[in-house]
Each structure stands twice: as structure tokens, then as C-alpha cells.
């Protein structure tokens, strides 16, 4: 059996992706795998993801999480992913250790909000947003492993597309993912 036949016989995996407190740069990096996207589309189906219009994560093989946890909605979405995904992956610095959003952890949350929404010059009607529909902010931005169990961590800001492709092809083929050191960089 050649490799193409072997791929055709392999059951298709289901993948979900989401961004919590992130900038979507890690998702852009996934798009950076360029022509491999066609190969990926042959191997997997996408559940909840910016690539689909699915609103809730259903049962999946792999969940890719970008971004840290900064509010109650992030906690809810992250727990839904953990419940539904056999393998949960922290993708990028924000998911792995809080990343850039966690820079606010050095400040008291109330002072931070006042600085942004009340004391900033030029605001027409300074007021801290308090609509009940807005998700409640956490006092600190957390890496995702502080909220749920995480199976794999892919470092980088963002991880390069080649790193994500190597990682995913290992997982899809049933191998333990191994990233060469030169694929783990932060630029
Ligand atoms: Fe954006 Fe970097 Fe965070 Fe990814 S790790 S969401 S690229 S800031």
C-alpha cells in the first residue's frame, strides 16, 4: 500500500480551534502552512474554528487553543474544549504562559480599567464598560494549563507555520509530536 492509499484509509480526524485572549496571530500562522492546507483538508474535518461557522465545540480528536484566559467566557470555552477534545494543545506563548495579555498582571485590575477608560485624554464620555452582557474579567490573565489539563504545548509568538505543520502531521499519523529545536523560535 502506498502513502496515498494509507492516508485515504486512515479515519478522518476532527479538529477544533479557538482564540481566547489572543491576537489571532497563531491562527494566521496555521494559514501560513500554505499549500499544506490542501493536504490538511484531505486528512481532517474542522469543528468549531474561525475556518467554519460552528459556534460550539463538539466531540473532537484535537483542540488547538490560542490565547490565555482573561475572562469568564474564556474559562467557559476552554472547559468546553477540554470536555470535547481527546487531545488539547496550547498553541503559542499566550496559551502557554499568558503571553502579552498577561502583562496586565503587574497592575491592579481596577486601576488598569480606570487608566484606559476614565483617565485617558480625548474620550468623549469616560466610563468603564459595565454592560451585563460583557464577560466578567479575571483579576489575572492565566495560561490555559492553570484552568484545564493540557496535553501538548507548542511555543512561539506565533509558532511558525512549519512547526504547526510538523506538529499536526505527527499527531495525525499517531506519532508523539517532536519539534526540532530550530522550529521553536519567537519571531
Ligand atoms: Fe498573538 Fe503571539 Fe499570543 Fe499567538 S502567542 S495569540 S501570535 S500574541
Amino acid at each position: 500500500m502506498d502513502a496515498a492509499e494509507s492516508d485515504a484509509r486512515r479515519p478522518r480526524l476532527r479538529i477544533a480551534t479557538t482564540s481566547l485572549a489572543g491576537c489571532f496571530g497563531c491562527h494566521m500562522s496555521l494559514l501560513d502552512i500554505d499549500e499544506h492546507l490542501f493536504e490538511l483538508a484531505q486528512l481532517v474535518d474542522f469543528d468549531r474554528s474561525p475556518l467554519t461557522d460552528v459556534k460550539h465545540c463538539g466531540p473532537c480528536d484535537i483542540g488547538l487553543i490560542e490565547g490565555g484566559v482573561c475572562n469568564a467566557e474564556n474559562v467557559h470555552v476552554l472547559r468546553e474544549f477540554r470536555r470535547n477534545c481527546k487531545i488539547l494543545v496550547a498553541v503559542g506563548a499566550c496559551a502557554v504562559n499568558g503571553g502579552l495579555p498577561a502583562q496586565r498582571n503587574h497592575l491592579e485590575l481596577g486601576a488598569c480599567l480606570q487608566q484606559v477608560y476614565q483617565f485617558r485624554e480625548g474620550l468623549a464620555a469616560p466610563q468603564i464598560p459595565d454592560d451585563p452582557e460583557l464577560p466578567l474579567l479575571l483579576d489575572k490573565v492565566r495560561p490555559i494549563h492553570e484552568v484545564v489539563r493540557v496535553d501538548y504545548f507548542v511555543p512561539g509568538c506565533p509558532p511558525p507555520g512549519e512547526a504547526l505543520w510538523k506538529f499536526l502531521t505527527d499527531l495525525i499519523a499517531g506519532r508523539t509530536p517532536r519539534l526540532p529545536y530550530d522550529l521553536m523560535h519567537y519571531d
Side-chain angles (χ1 to χ4, degrees), residues 15-18 27 30 62-66 81 88-89 91 167-168:
I15 293 183
T17 80
T18 195
H27 275 83
L30 182 59
I62 302 168
L64 304 176
I65 306 284
E66 168 199 294
F81 266 66
L88 197 68
V89 185
V91 179
F167 180 85
L168 284 174

Side-chain angles (χ1 to χ4, degrees), residues 71-82:
N71 63 35
E73 184 193 23
N74 293 160
V75 174
H76 175 78
V77 171
L78 182 56
R79 287 184 173 152
E80 182 179 75
F81 266 66
R82 179 66 278 179

Side-chain angles (χ1 to χ4, degrees), residues 22-26 66 92-94 100 156-158:
C23 73
F24 279 93
C26 291
E66 168 199 294
C94 298
L100 284 175
C157 181

Side-chain angles (χ1 to χ4, degrees), residues 75 78-80 82 88 143-150:
V75 174
L78 182 56
R79 287 184 173 152
E80 182 179 75
R82 179 66 278 179
L88 197 68
I144 68 168
H145 70 268
E146 289 189 9
V147 180
V148 297
R149 177 175 57 80
V150 173

Side-chain angles (χ1 to χ4, degrees), residues 4-187:
E5 279 179 307
S6 163
D7 281 348
R9 288 185 180 203
R10 192 175 293 140
R12 291 172 70 82
L13 298 185
R14 198 161 179 85
I15 293 183
T17 80
T18 195
S19 179
L20 305 177
C23 73
F24 279 93
C26 291
H27 275 83
M28 294 307 293
S29 209
L30 182 59
L31 297 181
D32 269 350
I33 64 175
D34 298 328
E35 70 276 8
H36 292 308
L37 280 170
F38 296 109
E39 286 177 67
L40 189 60
Q42 301 291 324
L43 297 170
V44 306
D45 293 314
F46 277 94
D47 195 271
R48 175 175 169 159
S49 168
L51 299 170
T52 67
D53 198 28
V54 178
K55 305 293 187 213
H56 289 280
C57 178
C60 284
D61 298 288
I62 302 168
L64 304 176
I65 306 284
E66 168 199 294
V69 185
C70 82
N71 63 35
E73 184 193 23
N74 293 160
V75 174
H76 175 78
V77 171
L78 182 56
R79 287 184 173 152
E80 182 179 75
F81 266 66
R82 179 66 278 179
R83 267 198 313 279
N84 284 293
C85 299
K86 293 179 192 158
I87 296 172
L88 197 68
V89 185
V91 179
C94 298
V96 172
N97 60 23
L100 284 175
Q103 288 190 356
R104 79 156 160 88
N105 291 356
H106 303 290
L107 306 167
E108 194 267 318
L109 181 58
C112 192
L113 288 170
Q114 279 184 329
Q115 194 62 45
V116 172
Y117 291 105
Q118 288 191 305
F119 300 150
R120 198 170 202 170
E121 283 181 25
L123 290 182
Q127 185 190 357
I128 295 174
D130 60 356
D131 190 293
E133 292 221 347
L134 290 173
L136 194 65
L137 285 176
L138 305 184
D139 64 336
K140 305 282 181 205
V141 178
R142 308 284 175 184
I144 68 168
H145 70 268
E146 289 189 9
V147 180
V148 297
R149 177 175 57 80
V150 173
D151 299 291
Y152 293 103
F153 298 83
V154 182
C157 181
E162 317 94 85
L164 291 174
W165 178 239
K166 169 75 170 65
F167 180 85
L168 284 174
T169 47
D170 279 349
L171 264 191
I172 291 167
R175 298 186 293 267
T176 300
R178 300 215 182 282
L179 287 182
Y181 190 70
D182 63 337
L183 285 185
M184 292 195 274
H185 51 81
Y186 279 73
D187 53 2

